[in-house]
Amino acid sequence: MIELNTPQGDYPVSAILFDKDGTLLQFVSLWGSWGECFLDQFARGLEQRGLSFPEHQRASLLGTVHDAAGKITDYDRNGPLAMGTMNDLYAILSWQGYTLGLSWAEAVELVDACRNAADAMLEQSRPVRPLPGLVPFLDACAAQGIPMAVVTADETAAAESHLRWLGIRQYFTAVIGTDQVERGKPFPDMALLACGRLGVSPAEAAVIGDTNGDMRMAKAAGAAAALGIAGGITAGLTASAATTTAGRGRDDAGGTADASGRGPATADLQAAGTLLPDADCVISSYSELSVRRMAR
């Protein structure tokens, strides 16, 4: 068995399950681009049908934070873009189109066209970046022979693509998307399925994620540890709270820098902990984690 070492305690584990967005890859780099394209296409489609998209509703629809130019700069970790399934997002936009005057059929067709445009943009630009310290940590886990899996609210095919774009697909024995289970996060289904694929008991697996949905999934599955990662901490705040940090600088990791520029401020990390109340511990980056083989 392997010991997973964290700043707040050590956990004996036989496997590690990772969320994808915000945990393996930087959330805004991928989903900010996707969300901007999706919302722009949606607004354009409404205009072509003689309707207008209320600008003040852009952020509230998916749980995003926008700058003055409309660019997505952050997201609410408790919002639909962070925690919802793709079908959840499509339903939200379809409902918006319906309330603005489209028939339900027209709204669904418009959202499908927007999804295709946003997906095509991602395929062409591939705006993915790994979280700082991720690859060295994956290398360390692989060197110790730790089985690893991805458990994501995204669909499996898309997740497979994103992992290949990042160049890290080879680290994972299994990739479990929400389309493979009856219930997504915060229910335990994905974690249980992943543990089954890895051949380990859930009680011997650690879960690493960036939302409390990940933490609740881990608890529901009876996982050995639920670890919250909060590298891009302003993304963990609600939309209203995140705007108060807009004047701060950004570090190279995409997180909020303190006045000295040394990375996430302590107060911000503490704030992240309040958004991950079910986490056994909260870390700011993978550099805080290590693994070692336990003595027999």
Side-chain angles (χ1 to χ4, degrees):
M1 186 167 281
I2 301 298
E3 187 173 76
L4 175 60
N5 309 119
T6 82
Q8 298 167 37
D10 303 325
Y11 301 92
V13 299
S14 296
I16 302 178
L17 313 182
F18 296 81
D19 170 52
K20 176 173 67 74
D21 304 313
T23 302
L24 296 175
L25 60 84
Q26 295 187 32
F27 192 97
V28 172
S29 67
L30 178 70
W31 293 107
S33 300
W34 184 89
E36 288 167 20
C37 181
F38 196 108
L39 292 173
D40 286 345
Q41 291 289 329
F42 186 70
R44 190 173 298 116
L46 289 174
E47 291 173 2
Q48 292 171 350
R49 292 162 174 80
L51 302 171
S52 61
F53 185 12
E55 284 299 317
H56 69 278
Q57 293 186 9
R58 279 202 178 220
S60 63
L61 279 178
L62 301 181
T64 49
V65 179
H66 301 245
D67 63 16
K71 182 178 177 62
I72 294 176
T73 58
D74 255 318
Y75 64 103
D76 177 5
R77 289 195 187 198
N78 291 319
L81 188 60
M83 297 184 69
T85 66
M86 300 308 294
N87 284 337
D88 291 336
L89 303 183
Y90 304 150
I92 290 169
L93 270 295
S94 296
W95 173 253
Q96 178 71 9
Y98 173 70
T99 61
L100 290 173
L102 298 179
S103 71
W104 184 252
E106 291 172 320
V108 169
E109 290 171 350
L110 172 58
V111 168
D112 187 63
C114 295
R115 180 204 66 181
N116 290 334
D119 287 350
M121 180 278 298
L122 285 187
E123 180 64 40
Q124 182 175 15
S125 61
R126 301 186 177 186
V128 294
R129 292 189 297 171
L131 261 67
L134 170 67
V135 174
F137 179 68
L138 293 178
D139 283 335
C141 292
Q144 295 291 350
I146 303 174
M148 294 179 282
V150 174
V151 286
T152 174
D154 203 356
E155 295 169 352
T156 305
E160 291 275 7
S161 293
H162 301 160
L163 296 173
R164 287 195 299 270
W165 296 349
L166 279 173
I168 61 173
R169 176 60 184 89
Q170 69 276 13
Y171 291 101
F172 304 104
T173 301
V175 177
I176 308 297
T178 193
D179 52 304
Q180 295 190 47
V181 295
E182 182 177 350
R183 302 175 302 174
K185 301 172 188 178
F187 299 101
D189 302 33
M190 281 194 284
L192 296 176
L193 179 58
C195 288
R197 298 269 178 90
L198 298 181
V200 302
S201 164
E204 298 177 350
V207 173
I208 302 178
D210 72 318
T211 74
N212 206 50
D214 297 310
M215 305 301 99
R216 292 181 68 83
M217 174 190 68
K219 298 297 185 182
L227 278 58
I229 187 161
I233 187 58
T234 56
L237 308 177
T238 61
S240 59
T243 58
T244 66
T245 65
R248 299 180 181 174
R250 306 291 290 183
D251 64 12
D252 291 340
T256 304
D258 63 16
S260 67
R262 289 191 296 265
T266 300
D268 281 347
L269 190 55
Q270 292 172 344
T274 67
L275 291 165
L276 298 165
D278 293 302
D280 294 313
C281 80
V282 178
I283 58 171
S284 62
S285 76
Y286 283 101
S287 64
E288 297 179 42
L289 299 179
S290 63
V291 292
R292 67 183 182 88
R293 187 164 296 279
M294 298 176 64
R296 294 184 181 276

